[in-house]
């Protein structure tokens, strides 16, 4: 309802659960810390090293933009969003480094929407007036003036502490479409919780969340059904009403599958091939991965985010027991927690692109923790809050300075541009992300690689998928090299370069015995140039950049 002309705006907002007027220092500290984090994020976009996955996906988008068919003309184990992002390529003659920066900015927008969405869901799932005090009594008046800093400020501080943790902010800087998928699900969940209890909201949630999972981030596919299932079980509505809601959700899922299939077919992508590369490939690799650490190990190693998450679970459980599950959080929080536990148990990969989103989803629990922290008297709460904000601020500034000083993106960008200059448009390359010119086609159909200490790489995965097995055979590699001798071959780089599959490396070694190439070193990377491209590079003074 609108505020009465006679009612002060601050009083209206306070009565409806918004921040009460109070000491501005905590909110100023939050704003300064958030702005510093955003500034560091921007510095990271320009300065932070490019990850293997970033360059891999950028190259796949470029190939899709040239009319090549994903999973058929080239292989990739990521969802089929490539052609949706081809407008970011810009002109026909792209600057690959500028393209990588545009992709990072695109990812920034999705991640910011996700963070706003997860904060909104966290806030409405721990509503004021339903929080318990230390005696288990509900606080019907929102934020008591005798209390300390309001729960929203504490919750947002906990969220910032997770977001600005160096390993998590590093993942957020990199180009990934996961943020857009999480944003779609977070905001569709927000709408689901806010809309009247009708079948239409279940249809909408099923459609949006399932489509986000299918086209952008399949690992999210389980979370929305867990939320809906828990919500239906906790509902006090009649059985027929719950059945209608379940049917509406199923209809939304079916519509999402139909639209996704129509999108693939409109692009000429065979459904079976998309399934093999996006779902079967990743499932097989996860099942046979030989990493000594798994996702759960990485979660426990990030001490501060895990401490906030664990404390938030305790706070939520305590508040939920006092409320006896009378609000939306009674369905959302248990479902999110179950999904997080399932992810930690099943995912074999210890990498940041898995544990960073895990913690970001888990940051929802910072808001129940804020509901408990608000009981700290203001005299003690304000110094604690300001010290914590200052610590985050200095940590963020330090990270920005380290990224600027190292400027690894600049060094990588020079290598990427050099690879483009020593080759010409249409030249085939045998590159290894992140050392890839991006705008050059590949000598191999299986052009990307996956690192696994046990040797279970992309080649081994393809050999377990009948329809793709022949693409990973030694005879296929030899045929591709003879048919399209690469102008440039990446021999080695820093630790970010994933080693080639064993069979492919053996084919290249054998090819070099029969076709001599010139070895060239640029920075910490080693390349082999085809003789005609070597002579062209020498005549153009491009070898003066080598040492």
């Amino acid at each position: 309802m609108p505020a009465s002309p006679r009612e002060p705006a601050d009083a209206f907002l306070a009565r409806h659960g918004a921040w009460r007027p109070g000491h501005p220092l905590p909110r100023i500290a939050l704003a300064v810390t958030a702005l510093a984090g955003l500034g560091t994020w921007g510095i990271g976009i320009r300065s932070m090293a490019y990850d293997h996955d970033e360059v891999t996906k950028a190259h796949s988008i470029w190939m899709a933009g040239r009319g090549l068919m994903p999973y058929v003309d080239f292989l990739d184990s990521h969802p089929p969003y490539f052609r949706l992002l081809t407008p970011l390529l810009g002109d026909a003659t792209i600057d690959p480094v500028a393209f990588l920066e545009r992709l990072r900015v695109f990812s920034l927008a999705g991640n910011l929407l996700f963070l706003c969405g997860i904060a909104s869901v966290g806030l409405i799932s721990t509503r004021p007036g339903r929080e318990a005090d230390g005696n288990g009594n509900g606080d019907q008046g929102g934020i008591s003036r005798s209390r300390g800093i309001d729960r929203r400020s504490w919750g947002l501080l906990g969220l910032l502490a997770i977001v600005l943790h160096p390993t998590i902010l590093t993942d957020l800087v990199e180009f990934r479409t996961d943020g857009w998928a999480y944003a779609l699900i977070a905001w569709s969940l927000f709408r689901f919780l806010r809309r009247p209890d009708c079948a239409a909201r279940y249809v909408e949630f099923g459609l949006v969340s399932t489509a986000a999972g299918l086209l952008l981030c399949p690992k999210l596919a389980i979370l929305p059904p867990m939320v809906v299932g828990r919500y239906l079980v906790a509902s006090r509505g009649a059985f027929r009403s719950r059945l209608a809601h379940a049917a509406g959700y199923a209809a939304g899922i079916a519509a999402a599958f139909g639209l996704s299939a129509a999108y693939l077919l409109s692009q000429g992508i065979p459904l079976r091939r998309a399934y093999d590369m996006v779902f079967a490939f990743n499932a097989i690799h996860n099942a046979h991965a030989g990493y000594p650490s798994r996702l759960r190990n990485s979660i426990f190693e990030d001490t501060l985010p895990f401490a906030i998450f664990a404390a938030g679970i305790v706070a939520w459980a305590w508040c939920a027991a006092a409320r006896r599950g009378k609000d939306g959080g009674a369905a959302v929080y248990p479902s999110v927690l179950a999904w997080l536990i399932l992810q930690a148990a099943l995912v074999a990969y210890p990498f940041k692109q898995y544990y960073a989103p895990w913690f970001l989803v888990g940051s929802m629990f910072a808001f129940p923790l804020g509901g408990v922290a608000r009981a700290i008297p203001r005299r003690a709460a304000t110094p604690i809050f300001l010290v914590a904000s200052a610590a985050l601020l200095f940590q963020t500034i330090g990270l920005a300075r380290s990224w600027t000083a190292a400027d690894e993106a600049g060094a990588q960008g020079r290598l990427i541009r050099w690879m483009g200059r020593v080759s010409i448009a249409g030249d085939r390359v045998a590159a290894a992300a992140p050392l890839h010119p991006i705008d050059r086609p590949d000598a191999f159909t299986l052009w990307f690689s996956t690192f696994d200490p046990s040797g279970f790489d992309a080649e081994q995965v393809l050999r377990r998928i009948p329809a793709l097995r022949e693409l990973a055979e030694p005879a296929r590699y030899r045929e591709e090299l003879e048919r399209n001798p690469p102008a440039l071959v990446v021999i080695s780089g820093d630790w970010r370069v994933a080693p080639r599959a064993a069979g492919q490396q053996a084919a290249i070694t054998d090819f070099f015995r029969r076709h001599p190439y010139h070895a060239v070193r640029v920075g910490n990377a080693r390349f082999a140039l085809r003789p005609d491209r070597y002579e062209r590079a020498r005549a153009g003074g491009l070898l003066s950049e080598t040492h």
Side-chain angles (χ1 to χ4, degrees):
M1 59 178 285
S4 167
R6 297 183 179 180
E7 182 180 24
D10 285 342
F12 172 80
L13 293 172
R15 185 163 60 84
H16 287 273
W19 284 342
R20 281 185 180 273
H23 203 293
L25 276 180
R27 274 171 263 169
I28 293 173
L30 269 180
V32 170
T33 305
L35 288 174
L38 191 59
T40 298
W41 198 332
I43 289 171
I45 287 174
R46 296 296 302 272
S47 305
M48 201 184 77
Y50 296 111
D51 182 76
H52 169 277
D53 278 358
E54 289 185 278
V55 176
T56 298
K57 289 179 279 193
H59 181 52
S60 290
I61 295 167
W62 177 80
M63 287 191 286
R66 293 181 70 245
L68 299 179
M69 190 182 302
Y71 317 126
V72 178
D73 297 325
F74 67 92
L75 298 184
D76 196 299
S77 60
H78 295 98
Y81 53 76
F82 311 112
R83 287 186 178 167
L84 297 176
L85 300 186
T86 53
L88 296 176
L89 283 166
D91 299 333
T93 55
I94 69 165
D95 176 355
V97 178
F99 177 46
L100 284 169
E101 288 183 2
R102 284 198 294 272
L103 290 174
R104 282 185 167 183
V105 172
F106 173 79
S107 186
L108 164 70
N111 283 322
L112 287 178
L113 285 171
F114 163 46
L115 295 176
C116 292
I118 204 73
S120 299
V121 171
L123 288 170
I124 68 169
S125 297
T126 52
R127 296 171 184 169
R130 296 186 180 184
E131 295 175 328
D133 60 19
N135 300 317
N137 300 314
D139 178 10
Q140 300 302 322
I143 306 301
S144 170
R145 290 187 184 274
S146 64
R147 296 294 184 90
I149 297 170
D150 59 85
R151 67 185 183 89
R152 290 168 176 77
S153 294
W154 283 114
L156 291 172
L157 181 65
L159 174 65
L160 277 178
I162 291 176
V163 170
L164 299 181
H165 191 270
T167 55
I168 294 174
L169 187 55
T170 296
D171 178 77
L172 288 171
V173 167
E174 294 172 353
F175 163 62
R176 305 185 191 282
T177 58
D178 295 16
W180 284 96
Y182 283 101
L184 286 169
I185 289 181
W187 284 109
S188 63
L189 178 58
F190 178 82
R191 282 179 52 81
F192 177 80
L193 295 173
R194 298 283 287 180
R195 291 186 64 185
D197 193 24
C198 60
R201 72 170 182 160
Y202 287 88
V203 175
E204 178 188 295
F205 187 52
L207 172 62
V208 175
S209 62
T210 305
L214 290 174
L215 292 178
L216 297 173
C217 187
K219 63 188 174 187
L220 278 173
I222 302 174
L223 176 57
M226 294 175 75
V227 172
V228 170
R230 182 70 177 82
Y231 209 92
L232 290 173
V233 169
S235 172
R236 298 181 180 180
F239 175 75
R240 290 182 62 182
S241 174
R242 284 185 283 177
L243 189 63
H245 294 165
Y249 182 66
I253 292 176
F257 270 94
L259 290 173
S260 299
Y263 165 74
L264 290 173
L265 294 175
S266 70
Q267 301 295 318
I269 302 172
L271 298 181
R272 179 67 194 203
R273 183 61 67 89
Y275 169 82
D276 284 342
M277 282 306 303
V278 177
F279 296 99
F281 183 98
N282 288 292
I284 292 170
H285 193 262
N286 185 80
H288 295 85
Y291 303 103
S293 295
R294 297 173 67 90
L295 173 60
R296 56 179 174 267
N297 303 105
S298 297
I299 290 169
F300 291 127
E301 289 170 2
D302 272 342
T303 309
L304 178 61
F306 184 75
I308 295 171
F309 171 70
I313 292 175
V314 174
W316 161 73
W318 178 71
C319 293
R323 288 194 305 265
R324 295 180 178 85
K326 294 181 180 178
D327 65 3
V332 175
Y333 281 101
S335 305
V336 169
L337 181 59
W339 181 79
L340 292 171
I341 293 172
L342 191 64
Q343 289 283 305
L346 296 181
V347 175
Y349 308 116
F351 306 125
K352 62 182 178 300
Q353 58 263 41
Y354 295 93
Y355 66 77
W358 193 95
F359 276 120
L360 292 171
V361 173
S363 67
M364 273 185 60
F365 287 90
F367 294 95
L369 182 60
V372 174
R374 61 189 279 275
I376 302 173
R378 182 173 291 277
R379 181 173 296 179
T382 300
I384 294 172
F385 194 98
L386 295 179
V387 168
S389 298
L392 285 178
L393 180 63
F394 284 114
Q395 172 188 275
T396 304
I397 293 173
L399 185 60
R401 293 179 65 182
S402 68
W403 281 343
T404 302
D407 192 21
E408 293 181 293
Q412 281 182 302
R414 288 189 288 274
L415 280 174
I416 290 171
R417 287 179 173 131
W418 181 85
M419 287 187 281
R421 290 198 301 272
V422 298
S423 59
I424 63 174
D427 274 351
R428 301 274 177 166
V429 298
L435 292 182
H436 198 296
I438 296 179
D439 60 347
R440 298 289 185 265
D442 303 282
F444 298 114
T445 305
L446 176 57
W447 66 276
F448 69 94
S449 185
T450 54
F451 171 72
D452 189 294
S454 68
F456 196 81
D457 51 26
E459 184 178 85
Q460 300 300 319
V461 177
L462 290 188
R463 288 175 180 173
R464 291 175 179 259
I465 302 175
L468 302 173
R469 185 178 298 136
E470 62 95 13
L471 299 178
E473 295 298 333
R476 171 74 178 223
Y477 299 147
R478 291 192 295 270
E479 175 192 340
E480 289 175 322
L481 287 171
E482 294 293 341
R483 185 172 66 244
N484 296 297
L488 174 147
V489 179
V490 173
I491 303 300
S492 65
D494 62 17
W495 59 270
R496 297 179 186 86
V497 177
R500 281 193 180 87
Q504 199 171 90
Q505 185 58 53
I508 289 175
T509 302
D510 180 66
F511 180 76
F512 283 162
R513 291 194 187 101
R514 292 177 285 107
H515 305 275
Y517 272 51
H518 292 276
V520 173
R521 183 180 182 87
V522 184
N524 61 358
R526 293 174 59 242
F527 304 91
L529 294 181
R530 201 171 63 203
D532 59 330
R533 294 294 174 254
Y534 179 84
E535 293 301 329
R536 177 179 176 273
R538 186 171 64 174
L542 297 176
L543 299 184
S544 63
E545 302 176 30
T546 67
H547 59 275

